[in-house]
Amino acid sequence: MGIPNGPRTWAESKKKRIDTLAASAGRSGRGEGAGDGPGGPATGEAGALKGAEGVSLLAAAWRRLRRNAVFLIGAAIVLVFVALAIIAPWIAPHDPAGRILVDQIRPSNPIPQPQPGFPLGGDSSGRDLLSRLLVGARQTLFVGVMATLGGLSGGVLLGTLAGAFGGPIDSLIMRIVDVMLSIPALLMAFTIAAMFAKPTQWTVIMAIAIVQVPIFARLLRGSMLAQRRSDHVLAARALGVKQAPIVIRHMLPNSFGPVIVQATLVIAGAIIDAAALSFLGLGNPDDRSPEWGQMLGKAQEFFNTFPHLAMWPAACIIVVALGFTLMGESLREALDPKSQR
Amino acid sequence: MGRPQSVPRRTAQAAGEPMLRVEDLSIKFVRRGQEPTIAVDSISFDVQAGQTVGLVGESGCGKSVTALAIMGLLPPRGNRVEGEIHFDGTDLLSLSDKQMRDRRGQELAMVFQDPLSSLNPVVPLGVQVCEVLERHKGMRHGAARRRSAELLDKVGVPDPTRRLDEYPHQLSGGMRQRALIAMALACEPRLLIADEPTTALDVTIQAQILALLKELVTESGTALVMITHDLGVVAGLCDQVNVLYGGRIVERADRFELFARPRHPYTNGLLASIPRLNSPRGQRLKPVPGSVADNIPWQVGCAFSPRCGAASELCRAEAPHLERDEGGAGHEIRCHHPVGRPSESADDARSAQDE
């Protein structure tokens, strides 16, 4: 009775606690070895509730993930690109907007060849391709992440309303979602992006975010409905807990796992969609700040003669999308309740 | 709503009114285009303060639905509740959702079957216990936390202050159920409903939890409704026992009477099916034949008749009424052919079938 979880896990949990402690940033661990990994160093203050959940959820997932090769590969890819995106302005060998090689361009040879100092050569405007790829990572990742966050917020709001209230509100929201889902995603993104007279990166972000909203809304509503019928929500209601804390404290945090997984997967899709929009000229037209999809679009007229111009940004898009997808898939496995315990 | 709710709290009880009086409670599940399913059919029973009343029966006999109806936790759509549930002089069925919500956790509380799934997995235990105190007692966080630790200590959770920061999955099954009991009793409710509180626990923990419940009930004078399919639990805990079958009470007696002189063939079947340590090796268990699904509606005849060895044409044609048994004090049964002496009961039933 007195010993929780059994001593079998103690030694293991001690090791785990080192990780979780690191995650909880200086919060003092308890001396006794009875706690089992994930929730160990959580706080009890209501104010720190959000933080405590975070530690618990993330720590539990991390415990599983750090031995998962697929996740580590995905995470490594993503981290490399994020790091490159952050430090791009400092490591780019040349100004991505500077037409340094423009004097090499002539009608017989419109694309400057790779040469010392310009390992990938230049583009059709005489700008350094490598520098543009590096700096382009910034823009591309920013658009992907922001579009996903936008879609996530909208979807979480709608899904929460639908799942928490049920009945006519749920029906109304879900019919809207159904209509949005019945239009092919990319087509809808094009339509939304094309509605703006002057495309900027923000119109791209908005177009892709709106397309993601119904996916997140439907996903969250599904798990909210499951939560609504769950035992612990019934138990909380049996204790007289009011509707708002039931939704916010008891239903939402428990419904969030699939949404987090979906978000990582959606980032990959968002990057590809943003590239597609830019490729079709619905993205940011200002090519002084490069973006992979836009580079791809510019490269199409030279595709037969100089395929490398398209290969490089395409490869970057594929690899980054792959990285996010690998992360998302392994996260899905890690958060899957069936693989737990 | 129309019923006056101004009955002063304690006077009702002083006048000998039971803490909980369920009268003619019927619960029907209605679905569009289908005949309503009758889950509970005119059930009546009383629970006095400090008394433990058992609702016993197999899955689907309406025990849990009755509990949820008392708590006002049935889903808002898809069911029809009729009858009266008087709690301390107030008809709970006439209260609004908000009035019910204020009473839940405060005056009425419930402990559920599965202690793991009844706790929120992503919130530390302390937050969940404090939540009740903050909600009903208006306690500040610090005070609620101290009180939570006291409550956990009282229900026998070791090292309670540390447990407050732990997540449900870090606690053992018994400890989770103790924590849930602590939460249910946090505001000293006057009625506690325990819905199979020990089914998910192993036998030793089960005994501890039952002892704890008994102690708390005796100590505080809380009325306890114990829902179970386990006659062992009934024998150890309940003052009064109601045996349910197909949504109706088929036998009601105090616990000594019920075990000494079970009259209804169903109760007999349940008792006969309990494995005994002193029965000869290799002897087969005697189940109640058939399943709950093999029943006929009470409107037609006795719902238990398809599974009953003693059933006659009368049973299939006319439902018996819940009648006072002449022998025992307060013993009531709903049967045309009540069983005689308990020891031969099962054999009687069998031989009746052979004839």
Side-chain angles (χ1 to χ4, degrees), chain A residues 51 148 152 272:
Chain A
T148 306
L152 183 76
I272 293 171

Side-chain angles (χ1 to χ4, degrees), chain B residues 180-200:
Chain B
L180 282 164
I181 291 173
M183 284 159 75
L185 295 177
C187 299
E188 287 147 1
R190 286 180 297 146
L191 174 69
L192 177 67
I193 300 175
D195 188 355
E196 310 218 9
T198 56
T199 308

Side-chain angles (χ1 to χ4, degrees), chain A residues 164-233:
Chain A
F165 291 104
I169 299 176
D170 179 27
S171 304
L172 180 71
I173 292 176
M174 281 306 118
R175 289 305 78 73
I176 297 171
V177 162
D178 286 344
V179 169
M180 288 173 80
L181 281 175
S182 67
I183 306 167
L186 209 51
L187 193 65
M188 184 146 105
F190 291 158
T191 316
I192 296 166
M195 288 194 310
F196 296 96
K198 207 170 128 284
T200 65
Q201 60 167 315
W202 291 105
T203 63
V204 174
I205 289 172
M206 192 188 290
I208 297 169
I210 291 174
V211 173
Q212 313 295 358
V213 164
I215 301 169
F216 284 115
R218 180 177 267 192
L219 194 65
L220 189 67
R221 173 209 179 237
S223 40
M224 289 284 278
L225 284 184
Q227 285 296 317
R228 217 153 77 118
R229 290 185 214 107
S230 75
D231 287 354
H232 73 261
V233 168

Side-chain angles (χ1 to χ4, degrees), chain A residues 103-120:
Chain A
D103 50 336
Q104 293 183 18
I105 295 174
R106 44 191 62 89
S108 60
N109 181 26
I111 303 296
Q113 287 302 308
Q115 51 199 278
F118 301 88
L120 304 180

Side-chain angles (χ1 to χ4, degrees), chain B residues 136-156:
Chain B
H136 291 295
K137 298 268 179 185
M139 280 192 187
R140 296 291 183 106
H141 189 71
R145 214 175 134 78
R146 276 191 299 279
R147 180 81 185 119
S148 303
E150 282 171 31
L151 284 165
L152 289 182
D153 191 44
K154 194 172 153 200
V155 297

Side-chain angles (χ1 to χ4, degrees), chain A residues 2 37 39 106 126-127 139 168 213 265 273 314:
Chain A
R106 44 191 62 89
R127 298 170 296 201
Q139 188 86 345
V213 164
L265 294 172
D273 287 357

Side-chain angles (χ1 to χ4, degrees), chain A residues 84 87-96 128 130-136:
Chain A
L84 283 179
I87 59 171
W90 291 281
I91 59 161
H94 305 283
D95 175 10
D128 178 35
L130 178 62
S131 303
R132 288 182 70 75
L133 274 180
L134 286 170
V135 177

Side-chain angles (χ1 to χ4, degrees), chain A:
Chain A
M1 187 70 246
I3 301 164
N5 293 326
R8 189 174 49 81
T9 62
W10 284 14
E12 216 186 328
S13 79
K14 226 164 223 166
K15 255 194 290 163
K16 281 165 207 153
R17 200 157 41 249
I18 295 168
D19 304 307
T20 48
L21 274 180
S24 74
R27 211 159 264 147
S28 68
R30 289 177 292 272
E32 304 84 341
D36 178 25
T43 62
E45 296 98 328
L49 179 65
K50 279 264 147 61
E53 280 157 15
V55 168
S56 166
L57 273 177
L58 289 181
W62 173 238
R63 208 154 54 105
R64 236 179 293 277
L65 288 173
R66 92 208 139 102
R67 272 166 291 159
N68 183 337
V70 176
F71 175 80
L72 291 178
I73 292 170
I77 294 172
V78 169
L79 276 181
V80 164
F81 274 92
V82 168
L84 283 179
I86 291 169
I87 59 171
W90 291 281
I91 59 161
H94 305 283
D95 175 10
R99 314 179 73 165
I100 307 161
L101 302 173
V102 73
D103 50 336
Q104 293 183 18
I105 295 174
R106 44 191 62 89
S108 60
N109 181 26
I111 303 296
Q113 287 302 308
Q115 51 199 278
F118 301 88
L120 304 180
D123 70 359
S124 57
S125 304
R127 298 170 296 201
D128 178 35
L129 193 59
L130 178 62
S131 303
R132 288 182 70 75
L133 274 180
L134 286 170
V135 177
R138 219 166 214 227
Q139 188 86 345
T140 309
L141 287 177
F142 180 76
V143 169
V145 170
M146 288 308 286
T148 306
L149 284 181
L152 183 76
S153 334
V156 164
L157 186 70
L158 288 183
T160 305
L161 287 176
F165 291 104
I169 299 176
D170 179 27
S171 304
L172 180 71
I173 292 176
M174 281 306 118
R175 289 305 78 73
I176 297 171
V177 162
D178 286 344
V179 169
M180 288 173 80
L181 281 175
S182 67
I183 306 167
L186 209 51
L187 193 65
M188 184 146 105
F190 291 158
T191 316
I192 296 166
M195 288 194 310
F196 296 96
K198 207 170 128 284
T200 65
Q201 60 167 315
W202 291 105
T203 63
V204 174
I205 289 172
M206 192 188 290
I208 297 169
I210 291 174
V211 173
Q212 313 295 358
V213 164
I215 301 169
F216 284 115
R218 180 177 267 192
L219 194 65
L220 189 67
R221 173 209 179 237
S223 40
M224 289 284 278
L225 284 184
Q227 285 296 317
R228 217 153 77 118
R229 290 185 214 107
S230 75
D231 287 354
H232 73 261
V233 168
L234 185 67
R237 288 177 58 212
L239 289 168
V241 180
K242 290 180 180 167
Q243 179 73 6
I246 282 186
V247 171
I248 292 164
R249 185 178 291 171
H250 295 280
M251 284 163 70
L252 251 186
N254 283 296
S255 315
F256 231 73
V259 175
I260 293 171
V261 171
Q262 183 68 24
T264 38
L265 294 172
V266 158
I267 291 180
I271 288 171
I272 293 171
D273 287 357
L277 286 180
S278 301
F279 178 84
L280 293 171
L282 292 166
N284 188 1
D286 179 6
D287 71 353
R288 276 171 307 177
S289 61
E291 197 267 299
W292 294 339
Q294 171 210 61
M295 290 167 72
L296 204 56
K298 294 257 151 126
Q300 62 180 322
E301 54 182 301
F302 305 104
F303 193 71
N304 282 329
T305 40
F306 300 95
H308 76 273
L309 220 50
M311 295 298 186
W312 284 110
C316 286
I317 292 169
I318 290 168
V319 173
V320 167
L322 178 73
F324 277 112
T325 309
L326 291 179
M327 261 175 81
E329 288 293 347
S330 42
L331 210 60
R332 185 210 297 279
E333 267 167 46
L335 292 175
D336 183 2
K338 274 174 218 137
S339 72
Q340 264 178 28
R341 279 180 268 274

